[in-house]
Amino acid sequence: MHSTNLHQLTLAELKQGLKKQAFSSVELTQHYLERIQRLDNQYNSFISVCQEEALSMAKQADTQLAQGDESALCGIPIAHKDLFCTEGVRTSCGSKMLDNFTPPYNAAIVDNCINAGAVMLGKTNMDEFAMGSSNENSFYGPAKNPWNSNCVPGGSSGGSAAAVAAQLAVAATASDTGGSIRQPASFCGVTGLKPTYGRVSRWGMVAYASSLDQAGPITKTAEDAAIMLNVLAGFDHRDSTSIDEPKPDYTTTLSDSLEGLRIGLPKEYFSDGLDSQVEQLIQDAIKTYEALGATVKEISLPHTHLAVPAYYVIAPAECSANLSRFDGVRYGYRCEDPKDLEDLYKRSRAEGFGEEVKRRILVGAYALSAGYYDAYYRKAQQVRRLIKQDFDAAFNDIDVIAGPTAPSPAFELGAKTKDPVSMYLEDIYTLPTNLAGLPGISIPCGVTKENKPVGLQLTGHYFSEAKLLNIAHRYQQETDFHQHTAPAID
Ligand code: GLN
């Protein structure tokens, strides 16, 4: 492979190339850094680029590779969403509040990647504190969709999805509280995996809504997602909700047969509000699965319509507690010349947080306040249980749930910024998965007439990541939608 085309390769292919010494990690890293420098002014997918750190990590990886090191990501340049703490590298979380914050330690998954030999290219753009579905809430300006720069890349992990789609990184980490891995993956025509809650450590990841947050990879293919998950997943005693389940090698079962696979199509996911082109592409994908030996049946998840209202009480409630730590005292933004302590708190928070974050803190504090707790927060938790029970019942007779990732393809920048509720409805098919703690994946299944990518969402039972990746990979062996790149990408 000519070195000018290295960005077209998948992570699995790059691993082979590095092993055979077809190119070095330094060459590969330089190649990506040059692309970021030349092209990212169009996409704004990075908040920080780590030129020097990346090259020194690449040099070290080359030494290790020469000694036959076979670590899973040895020499592979990747990007991290800017809410994973990185020692010595600014971690802004897309917010003015943390614009000056350089953590003294690495998040667990950042360390996992370093221990596996990965090179860190930089930190990707995101909605402020991961709140949003379009990346338009970033203090650093929106990331743009590489398929159409008038459109949003989705959110909150829009920078990670745009960077992979524009081939500025072969893989990126991301986080998903209500859809932020899967929805941007769908909008940008890439693969995004949200693992089971507790599968990947949250230690060192800036908290949004702790009972929902989960980290995972955005990649070009399901095979690459399996390689990444092998590195990211695992028990961590520092995260009290990390689960000590055995970790399979996710790459070994990718090509297993799908003969007899039972797919459920929730009737609530194919109703009003679903774009007709999206629906058609999902139906086509289901036919591919039938040809691979799967059986398909309609199921019902009767409480689906309550997911958006329940989530938009629970997530703000948790965020109002989590974000109370940003008080202008310990770290982050501090206002100029405070009159007294109260003024310091008030103005630091008023000036440091953006509009959407403030809206959520207000909603959350209200829902948790005495007198409203039972009516809103407790009620939302009860609804959450009903949603989980819907899934438990469904998984009695099916193996996986299929449907759209989002109700429509990428929308134009500014189209929903004036109407928060229409933005919240973007998450209608992804939120239930987080409320139940289940794993889900979005894979490209075609483009609309306007050449906008569409994602197929697959949701599995707890800890069924290996199965989900197998189901996604078999589809990618049969189809080439994941190989299509945005038109302007060279
Ligand atoms: N769009 C949802 C929200 O704004 C989900 C975001 C996320 O998954 N981080 O809360």
Side-chain angles (χ1 to χ4, degrees):
M1 167 70 50
H2 194 268
S3 68
T4 51
N5 294 332
L6 290 175
H7 56 278
Q8 294 170 352
L9 300 182
T10 64
L11 200 164
E13 289 165 342
L14 289 178
K15 268 169 71 83
Q16 289 299 320
L18 286 168
K19 192 175 168 187
K20 288 194 309 225
Q21 300 188 341
F23 44 83
S24 68
S25 175
V26 167
E27 270 176 87
L28 181 60
T29 302
Q30 268 164 344
H31 180 75
Y32 273 114
L33 288 170
E34 183 277 324
R35 280 181 70 77
I36 295 170
Q37 196 175 26
R38 182 162 52 87
L39 301 170
D40 201 41
N41 54 0
Q42 295 169 52
Y43 309 117
N44 197 25
S45 65
F46 281 85
I47 291 176
S48 305
V49 179
C50 307
Q51 179 108 17
E52 278 171 32
E53 293 89 339
L55 286 171
S56 95
M57 288 165 120
K59 260 192 214 117
Q60 199 190 327
D62 280 333
T63 314
Q64 284 167 239
L65 285 161
Q67 291 162 358
D69 190 323
E70 301 213 349
S71 307
L73 299 178
C74 198
I76 304 284
I78 61 165
H80 288 299
K81 183 174 181 177
D82 208 18
L83 56 38
F84 296 107
C85 284
T86 40
E87 185 180 347
V89 173
R90 175 176 63 169
T91 299
S92 74
C93 222
S95 181
K96 178 177 175 184
M97 185 58 92
L98 290 178
D99 181 49
N100 63 2
F101 175 57
T102 301
Y105 62 92
N106 284 326
I109 67 152
V110 171
D111 268 339
N112 291 352
C113 291
I114 292 174
N115 294 337
V119 169
M120 178 170 76
L121 290 169
K123 308 290 297 286
T124 57
N125 202 351
M126 56 181 286
D127 282 302
E128 185 178 6
F129 286 102
M131 298 174 198
S133 308
S134 68
N135 216 298
E136 292 168 290
N137 298 334
S138 170
F139 174 61
Y140 303 91
K144 310 276 174 59
N145 191 315
W147 289 75
N148 180 337
S149 55
N150 296 323
C151 287
V152 303
S156 65
S157 312
S160 291
V164 174
Q167 302 189 337
L168 305 182
V170 72
T173 57
S175 70
D176 192 312
T177 303
S180 282
I181 292 177
R182 291 160 288 157
Q183 186 252 21
S186 165
F187 280 16
C188 292
V190 291
T191 298
L193 172 71
K194 176 230 174 270
T196 306
Y197 183 76
R199 176 78 285 187
V200 174
S201 172
R202 290 182 295 111
W203 195 80
M205 167 168 135
V206 179
Y208 161 16
S210 309
S211 76
L212 301 157
D213 297 341
Q214 185 62 197
I218 292 185
T219 51
K220 293 178 174 178
T221 65
E223 182 185 18
D224 288 359
I227 297 170
M228 286 292 288
L229 190 62
N230 274 348
V231 172
L232 302 180
F235 175 65
D236 182 356
H237 65 89
R238 297 167 300 180
D239 170 358
S240 61
T241 58
S242 173
I243 299 178
D244 197 359
E245 270 282 308
K247 180 173 78 166
D249 177 344
Y250 297 101
T251 61
T252 55
T253 44
L254 285 170
S255 299
D256 285 4
S257 162
L258 299 186
E259 202 60 55
L261 178 78
R262 297 165 305 167
I263 299 180
L265 301 181
K267 63 170 190 258
E268 293 80 6
Y269 288 20
F270 295 88
S271 57
D272 298 349
L274 176 61
D275 179 282
S276 60
Q277 292 193 65
V278 173
E279 173 159 15
Q280 189 54 54
L281 291 167
I282 301 299
Q283 297 295 359
D284 294 348
I286 300 303
K287 291 204 191 86
T288 304
Y289 279 114
E290 285 177 317
L292 286 168
T295 57
V296 177
K297 76 176 216 178
E298 184 180 275
I299 58 161
S300 177
L301 298 170
H303 297 95
T304 299
H305 65 291
L306 298 176
V308 171
Y311 173 89
Y312 280 97
V313 170
I314 294 168
E318 294 187 20
C319 104
S320 77
N322 275 327
L323 272 58
S324 64
R325 73 191 64 168
F326 301 107
D327 55 7
V329 175
R330 284 166 290 187
Y331 46 78
Y333 179 79
R334 177 180 293 174
C335 68
E336 298 271 328
D337 300 326
K339 282 203 308 285
D340 52 28
L341 185 62
E342 194 162 320
D343 187 44
L344 168 80
Y345 290 151
K346 280 191 182 157
R347 278 203 295 121
S348 297
R349 288 170 68 81
E351 293 165 18
F353 289 134
E355 197 181 324
E356 182 61 25
V357 171
K358 285 182 197 162
R359 182 180 294 121
R360 307 252 180 136
I361 293 173
L362 285 174
V363 168
Y366 180 85
L368 288 176
S369 57
Y372 295 104
Y373 183 95
D374 286 337
Y376 295 108
Y377 184 71
R378 187 186 305 279
K379 185 61 77 188
Q381 291 287 29
Q382 288 165 342
V383 170
R384 180 176 192 172
R385 171 55 61 101
L386 294 174
I387 288 169
K388 177 192 178 313
Q389 286 170 348
D390 283 355
F391 282 112
D392 288 343
F395 283 121
N396 281 331
D397 1 273
I398 53 156
D399 304 306
V400 66
I401 294 170
T405 304
S408 64
F411 47 88
E412 296 210 341
L413 285 148
K416 296 182 194 251
T417 40
K418 297 279 172 299
D419 182 359
V421 174
S422 80
M423 192 73 92
Y424 298 168
L425 288 170
E426 270 305 304
D427 306 328
I428 189 153
Y429 306 130
T430 46
L431 293 180
T433 318
N434 299 74
L435 289 167
L438 295 165
I441 190 167
S442 178
I443 53 174
C445 67
V447 294
T448 64
K449 293 191 187 76
E450 299 77 26
N451 205 28
K452 292 181 180 177
V454 170
L456 169 74
Q457 177 175 223
L458 302 165
T459 306
H461 216 336
Y462 298 106
F463 297 99
S464 65
E465 287 83 357
K467 189 80 214 157
L468 279 181
L469 288 161
N470 163 220
I471 300 169
H473 179 69
R474 288 295 291 119
Y475 181 77
Q476 294 183 337
Q477 287 179 318
E478 293 300 310
T479 60
D480 65 357
F481 302 119
H482 59 293
Q483 287 164 351
H484 294 193
T485 45
I489 305 300
D490 60 359

